[in-house]
Every structure is written in C-alpha cells, then in structure tokens.
C-alpha cells in the first residue's frame, strides 16, 4: 500500500492479492494450520487483513498474536487511530485464538464482540500488538479475551468475543481437492 500527498491532498493506493480457493474447502485443515500458513506465507491473507496490514505473528493452540501498523488514513480528526479500525484487528485476533483451538471438522461464527478503549492510540507511524487467548472452550461456544498495546507498550484496549462452534460447512460443489 502506498500513500502519496501533495499539499493538503492525500491519495492511498490499495492493492491486495487474491486469496485463491477458500481455505474452508480443505476438510482436513485446522484453524491452527491455517494461521501458521499465514505466518509462513504459504496461505494468502484475507483482503481486509492485507489492506489494513494485519499480520499474524504467533499462533499456538488457544493463543495468537497479531500486529497492525497505524497509518495516517486510519486516524480520526484528532489524529488518533479510529476505534473501528482497532476493533477490526481485535475481532480478527480474538476469533483466530478460538479458531486455533478447534478440531478440523469445526468452524466458528461470531456471537458478540466487546471492546473497552482505555487509552488512545496516537497517529502514524506506529504499531499495535494484540495478544488474544481462549478463556473458555465448550462444546458449542468459545470465549476469548485480548489486550492491545501500542508501540510504547502501553495498554490501549481490552476486548472479548464469543463464538458459536459449529460443524464445518461442506466444500462447495466443484471445489478442488486440497485447495486452500
């Protein structure tokens, strides 16, 4: 992603790579293998993660760490990272912490998201880091919590998310075997 500005006008060019066939078509694929594939670069991140610069830094069963750069066009009129942008990276990390813990025949759907903003994240350049972990893992429901720190390691937000754990949907007709 590039950002060009002249005088008071700014332009951002947004590019992303196609994800290819959906990962869900791999019946044997686990959430943890998906996340580790994102880390290694073997799997292309979803377009929203590419556009926002969200990266999976660490993935273990039940825990993940995500980072996201703070870019100028992510800020509000006060020069602070917009809450919706911060909520997006938190939502992604929270869901993926649960995804990293479920069996290969299961998938998740969000039930709720709760975010508490504790301190503003000041504008670019900078980086936010989200550490998320599973708090409860049941047969049909998972709950995760996270902490967000800024580039100066200050706690900026905490959040939680619950997910419905359900059977993985069957592969769409015509989906290639073994595709991502």
């Amino acid at each position: 992603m590039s950002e060009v500005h002249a005088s008071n006008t700014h332009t951002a060019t947004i590019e992303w790579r196609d994800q290819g066939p959906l990962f869900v078509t791999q019946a044997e694929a686990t959430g943890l293998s998906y996340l580790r594939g994102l880390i290694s670069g073997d799997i292309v991140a979803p377009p929203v993660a590419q556009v926002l610069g969200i990266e999976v830094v660490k993935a273990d069963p039940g825990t993940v760490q995500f980072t996201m750069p703070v870019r100028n066009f992510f800020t509000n009129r006060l020069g602070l990272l917009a809450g919706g942008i911060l909520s997006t990276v938190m939502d992604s990390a929270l869901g993926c912490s649960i995804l990293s813990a479920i069996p290969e025949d299961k998938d998740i759907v969000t039930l709720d998201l709760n975010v508490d903003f504790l301190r503003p994240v000041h504008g670019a350049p900078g980086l936010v880091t989200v550490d998320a972990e599973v708090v409860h893992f049941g047969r049909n429901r998972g709950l995760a919590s996270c902490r967000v720190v800024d580039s100066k390691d200050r706690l900026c937000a905490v959040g939680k998310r619950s997910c419905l754990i359900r059977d993985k949907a069957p592969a769409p007709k015509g989906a290639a075997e073994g595709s991502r």
Side-chain angles (χ1 to χ4, degrees):
M1 175 158 338
S2 62
E3 187 177 345
V4 180
H5 60 89
S7 144
N8 290 333
T9 302
H10 301 264
T11 302
T13 303
I14 299 173
E15 296 179 6
W16 65 89
R17 293 176 37 209
D18 285 336
Q19 239 182 321
L22 295 177
F23 182 77
V24 75
T25 62
Q26 284 189 320
E28 75 285 355
T30 65
L32 187 58
S33 66
Y34 170 74
L35 293 166
R36 289 183 172 162
L38 289 172
I39 293 169
S40 69
D42 292 335
I43 295 176
V44 176
V48 68
Q50 293 177 55
V51 169
L52 294 178
I54 297 171
E55 291 189 22
V56 183
V57 177
K58 183 176 89 172
D60 291 311
T63 68
V64 297
Q65 184 178 71
F66 281 31
T67 61
M68 186 189 74
V70 179
R71 296 184 171 135
N72 284 329
F73 59 96
F74 291 174
T75 60
N76 61 23
R77 64 179 183 80
L78 301 173
L80 306 173
L81 179 63
I85 300 289
L86 185 56
S87 295
T88 299
V89 67
M90 292 171 71
D91 182 45
S92 298
L94 287 161
C96 286
S97 68
I98 296 170
L99 189 65
S100 73
I102 62 174
E104 62 194 29
D105 63 336
K106 300 292 183 185
D107 210 341
I108 60 170
V109 177
T110 301
L111 293 172
D112 62 32
L113 172 67
N114 180 283
V115 175
D116 288 309
F117 300 106
L118 306 174
R119 156 192 318 266
V121 176
H122 293 275
L127 187 74
V128 292
T129 302
V130 182
D131 287 296
E133 66 179 347
V134 173
V135 174
H136 170 76
F137 188 78
R139 188 169 44 93
N140 295 323
R141 188 174 174 137
L143 175 68
S145 67
C146 73
R147 295 171 44 91
V148 180
V149 297
D150 64 11
S151 295
K152 296 179 180 173
D153 206 30
R154 296 179 297 193
L155 183 63
C156 297
V158 295
K160 68 178 183 172
R161 173 181 170 177
S162 64
C163 295
L164 174 67
I165 299 170
R166 64 181 192 166
D167 291 336
K168 191 178 273 189
K173 280 191 169 193
E177 286 288 321
S179 62
R180 282 188 224 125

